[in-house]
Each structure stands twice: as C-alpha cells, then as structure tokens.
C-alpha cells in the first residue's frame, strides 16, 4: 500500500512561474497544463504570479495523473476561488483497481 500524499499550493507576487516540488514524475509535471486548461475552461485563469505546488512527503516519488484534482483544488484555494477554511476540509483519494497482472 502506498503512503498518503498531501498537496499544498501557494501563489506569491514574484516573477511568474509554475513549479512542482516533491519528486513529481513526468505525468505529474504535465498536470500543469491539464489543470491550467481545466481552470481556463471554467473561466478561472491563473494569475501572473509564482505558483508552487508542494507534494509531500518529499522523499517518495509521485507518479500518475491522479494528482490533477488535488492540484486544481489547491490552486483554486491559493488564488482565492475557494475559501481557505473550506479547502482544509477537502480530501481526494484515488481508487486502485487490479489490472489482473
């Protein structure tokens, strides 16, 4: 069983950038564009700020696209689209299915 991960997002008024920390693999890093596109589709553009998404624990690799939803929710809280006190009560989990291998 894989250890649970947490996702925290922050925006700061610096040079615009979108950074992941916490050993993301290529699919997690690509969520930057999937999440940006999804937020644009609902009329919520990301501000021209420095955005950092911290995936913890930092010493375990993060793999797959199932981080998209927690990243999107964290970004929505970071830019004020979701109240921070409400976002603390949000939990996302993935359902693992057997592949028969």
């Amino acid at each position: 069983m894989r250890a649970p991960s947490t996702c925290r997002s922050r925006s700061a008024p610096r040079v615009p950038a979108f950074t992941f920390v916490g050993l993301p693999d290529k699919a997690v890093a690509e969520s930057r564009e999937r999440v940006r596109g999804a937020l644009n589709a609902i009329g919520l553009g990301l501000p021209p700020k420095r955005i950092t998404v911290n995936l913890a624990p930092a010493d375990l690799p993060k793999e797959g696209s199932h981080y998209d939803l927690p990243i999107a929710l964290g970004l929505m809280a970071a830019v004020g689209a979701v109240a921070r006190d409400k976002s603390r009560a949000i939990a996302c989990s993935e359902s693992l299915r057997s592949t028969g291998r």
Side-chain angles (χ1 to χ4, degrees):
M1 182 176 191
R2 187 171 49 205
S5 298
T6 60
C7 174
R8 297 182 187 262
S9 301
R10 177 173 184 227
S11 67
R14 295 194 179 110
V15 177
F18 194 151
T19 307
F20 287 96
V21 295
L23 291 179
D25 76 347
K26 183 80 169 158
V28 175
E30 289 172 351
S31 71
R32 172 185 305 120
E33 298 308 319
R34 290 189 299 272
V35 168
R36 187 187 309 264
L39 294 178
N40 282 336
I42 62 169
L44 181 64
L46 293 176
K49 294 183 175 184
R50 179 170 200 74
I51 297 169
T52 303
V53 176
N54 181 14
L55 303 169
D59 60 338
L60 296 176
K62 314 312 177 296
E63 301 173 340
S65 61
H66 56 270
Y67 288 94
D68 290 5
L69 178 59
I71 289 168
L73 292 171
L75 289 174
M76 291 173 73
V79 301
V82 174
R84 286 188 183 270
D85 60 335
K86 302 289 186 209
S87 69
R88 294 180 200 276
I90 298 172
C92 302
S93 71
E94 71 173 295
S95 174
L96 298 175
R97 292 184 294 171
S98 172
T99 59
R101 294 183 195 160

